[in-house]
Amino acid sequence: MFFRARLKRKLRAAVAPVAEALDKLRSGYRSPYSYTTGRSSVIGQRLRRLQPQTPAQIIAIGFLTTIVVGTLLLMTPAARVGDGAASFLDALFTATSATCVTGLITVDTPTYWTPFGHAVIIALIQIGGFGVMSFGALIGLVITRKLGLRSRLITAQETKAQGLGETKRVIVNVLMISAVTEAAIAVVLALRFALGYGYAPDKAIWFGVFHSISAFNNAGFALYTDSIIGFVGDPWIVIPLSIGVILGGLGFPVIMELRRRYRKPKSFSLHTKLVLIGTVVLLVGGTVFISVLEWNNAKTLGPLSDGEKILAGFFQSTVTRTAGFNSIDVGQMHPVSWLGMDILMFIGAGPAGTAGGLKITTFAILFFIMLTEIRGGTAVNIFGKRISRSLHREALTIVLFSLGLVVGSTMAIMLMSDVGQDRILFEVVSAYATVGMSTGITAALPPAAQYILIVLMFAGRVGPVTIASALALKTRHPLYEYPKERPLIG
């Protein structure tokens, strides 16, 4: 007992300094070195605040990082034909256009960039179309064969996956869909280039792969100075490119659902029904609109045969939905055609795909909100399903944000340039909707206007909702509500 008590006293004596130090720390005690420690902790807290905290912020920073890396690669002498390197603005504009799968250019892609530059561009298109964070998650999945919670959250927001448990399956399916579609279209194009136009096998394969990736990802980059004008009447070139653009524009959720339930169309989700119906209506409507207006235009459809006119009108309607190819000279089209194409570009294609624009579902929800209000209804119902009010607000937010950005950018560029309003509006909508179609004024615009287009391409690809979420410091849920009041409308 004596030895045990003595041992306890020694242990208490040994632990006492540690206990005293802990008590002082809990009570706010500062040591002589506390200033440095406190300063370091304050700096650490500030640095932690600067780090991205939400999936939206991480997605935006991921796209920015990819653009920066692409810009640096394109500024190397190996990326440009001739002596010297590309200018910062040309490299930045091209990298942004490729990563945001737009297709606007300030320099001629086939003659200005080397094969290395073309490889960088097509890599940026593939990463941007697949999704920057989805691509990162795919690499992590290949290396570690698993996805952490943070990766699942980020990828779910970017791919619009319905649940965290589906994230891994969605990434794998997106990869398979992209690879199979691009490979099939590349084979058809390569065979046509080799057999129909006498290209050497290596050139035919490269041109087939490049334009296949560009089409499926709705990028619109081409290895021809005049885009696809030289193949305006060739269905073996035009139709495969159109199929790639349409499939990429449907969105991965729609394609995956079609694979599972193609025999039961009545069981399709509301999202799939809206995208499919909207795609058909816009494709047919756009084809009729462009063909009728340009039918007798001697500088566009006029010289073509009737079959070629319909094919060209269909192709222009297809690519106007956010892919920047063109088989006729857009700069020679009627101004009314430009205005109609502005509307098609602004609406865009399906969500969670490679296309941009307002999105078909957003436009459809606004249409049914208007229809419900006209009929005097109380709830917005679409195909037997009721739309939640949160979606009403989100759709209105996207539209107002997009309209404000387009109108403001158009006015700003009009102050910088002598180009007509119709051409500038076309350019701005094309950049924001990540279409890439142009009337030929991109390279002639002043540098400040080109920087505006860069911002528009980034905003259009990342999305207004993601940008707004990324800029928000925190989400606040108020614990009170203000009294209602009804101002006069109309």
Side-chain angles (χ1 to χ4, degrees):
M1 294 292 295
F2 173 76
F3 292 106
R4 185 180 299 176
R6 188 174 179 182
L7 181 60
K8 286 182 178 180
R9 286 196 298 270
K10 288 185 177 180
L11 287 174
R12 289 194 189 100
V15 174
V18 178
E20 183 180 358
L22 290 174
D23 290 338
K24 288 180 179 179
L25 286 175
R26 292 193 192 100
S27 60
Y29 171 78
R30 285 178 174 269
S31 69
Y33 306 98
S34 60
Y35 177 75
T36 304
T37 305
R39 185 178 180 182
S40 300
S41 63
V42 170
I43 294 174
Q45 291 176 0
R46 291 180 179 176
L47 290 176
R48 283 193 295 271
R49 289 175 183 175
L50 293 176
Q51 293 177 352
Q53 302 295 326
T54 65
Q57 293 174 343
I58 295 174
I59 291 172
I61 292 175
F63 270 93
L64 284 173
T65 304
T66 305
I67 291 171
V68 170
V69 173
T71 301
L72 295 176
L73 290 175
L74 290 177
M75 288 180 67
T76 59
R80 181 190 172 186
V81 174
D83 298 330
S87 67
F88 171 75
L89 180 55
D90 289 333
L92 175 63
F93 196 99
T94 304
T96 304
S97 183
T99 305
C100 299
V101 290
T102 304
L104 287 176
I105 54 175
T106 55
V107 293
D108 187 34
T109 302
T111 59
Y112 188 86
W113 304 109
T114 63
F116 172 75
H118 295 156
V120 172
I121 290 172
I122 205 63
L124 293 175
I125 291 173
Q126 188 70 80
I127 295 172
F130 187 78
V132 172
M133 304 315 300
S134 300
F135 186 78
L138 177 64
I139 294 176
L141 189 61
V142 171
I143 295 174
T144 64
R145 296 188 179 182
K146 63 180 180 180
L147 286 178
L149 178 60
R150 188 180 182 86
S151 297
R152 290 177 184 270
L153 287 169
I154 299 168
T155 309
Q157 176 157 339
E158 186 177 51
T159 59
K160 303 296 188 294
Q162 297 297 319
L164 295 182
E166 295 185 358
T167 305
K168 181 178 178 180
R169 181 177 61 84
V170 168
I171 293 176
V172 174
N173 285 334
V174 168
L175 176 64
M176 291 179 58
I177 292 170
S178 300
V180 171
T181 306
E182 291 171 0
I185 295 173
V187 169
V188 175
L189 293 177
L191 289 174
R192 183 57 178 167
F193 287 138
L195 301 178
Y197 297 94
Y199 286 17
D202 56 343
K203 182 179 179 181
I205 293 173
W206 171 239
F207 273 57
V209 170
F210 187 97
H211 291 94
S212 172
I213 294 175
S214 184
F216 181 72
N217 290 283
N218 280 231
F221 277 86
L223 293 179
Y224 301 97
T225 301
D226 59 355
S227 190
I228 311 299
I229 291 179
F231 307 100
V232 61
D234 189 345
W236 290 100
I237 298 295
V238 171
I239 291 179
L241 291 177
S242 299
I243 292 174
V245 171
I246 293 171
L247 290 177
L250 288 178
F252 296 110
V254 173
I255 297 176
M256 286 187 282
E257 185 168 355
L258 290 176
R259 286 176 56 197
R260 297 194 310 267
R261 305 178 182 177
Y262 67 95
R263 294 182 178 179
K264 300 178 181 178
K266 292 183 179 180
S267 65
F268 287 167
S269 65
L270 177 60
H271 171 81
T272 297
K273 291 179 180 177
L274 289 177
V275 172
L276 291 178
I277 294 174
T279 298
V280 172
V281 170
L282 292 174
L283 281 177
V284 174
T287 301
V288 173
F289 175 80
I290 294 172
S291 299
V292 169
L293 281 176
E294 300 296 326
W295 192 268
N296 295 318
N297 188 340
K299 297 181 178 180
T300 55
L301 298 183
L304 305 177
S305 65
D306 290 350
E308 290 175 341
K309 288 179 180 180
I310 295 174
L311 181 63
F314 170 74
F315 185 71
Q316 285 306 128
S317 175
T318 301
V319 296
T320 301
R321 310 271 316 295
T322 81
F325 295 116
N326 60 282
S327 61
I328 57 178
D329 189 352
V330 177
Q332 300 298 328
M333 296 178 74
H334 196 281
V336 178
S337 299
W338 291 341
L339 184 58
M341 293 166 70
D342 286 340
I343 297 173
L344 291 175
M345 291 189 295
F346 193 67
I347 294 174
T354 60
L358 195 71
K359 300 297 188 298
I360 291 175
T361 48
T362 305
F363 179 78
I365 288 174
L366 290 176
F367 174 78
F368 281 102
I369 289 175
M370 179 190 70
L371 197 62
T372 302
E373 190 64 27
I374 292 174
R375 292 177 174 177
T378 57
V380 179
N381 301 315
I382 306 176
F383 302 143
K385 301 291 184 179
R386 181 171 57 86
I387 304 299
S388 65
R389 295 190 180 276
S390 62
L391 282 180
H392 302 184
R393 297 191 298 270
E394 187 172 341
L396 290 172
T397 300
I398 292 173
V399 172
L400 292 177
F401 181 94
S402 302
L403 284 174
L405 205 55
V406 167
V407 172
S409 300
T410 302
M411 295 171 66
I413 296 178
M414 287 176 65
L415 294 173
M416 305 173 188
S417 174
D418 296 330
V419 181
Q421 176 184 334
D422 48 3
R423 291 179 181 268
I424 292 177
L425 178 62
F426 190 94
E427 202 82 7
V428 167
V429 175
S430 179
Y432 179 69
T434 68
V435 178
M437 202 172 293
S438 174
T439 59
I441 66 171
T442 311
L445 292 174
Q450 293 178 2
Y451 280 114
I452 292 176
L453 294 180
I454 289 173
V455 174
L456 287 172
M457 289 189 287
F458 177 79
R461 179 56 183 153
V462 175
V465 174
T466 302
I467 290 177
S469 301
L471 294 177
L473 296 178
K474 61 176 67 176
T475 302
R476 293 174 179 169
H477 301 284
L479 302 177
Y480 57 88
E481 291 184 354
Y482 290 106
K484 291 183 178 179
E485 187 170 347
R486 186 182 179 87
L488 298 178
I489 300 294

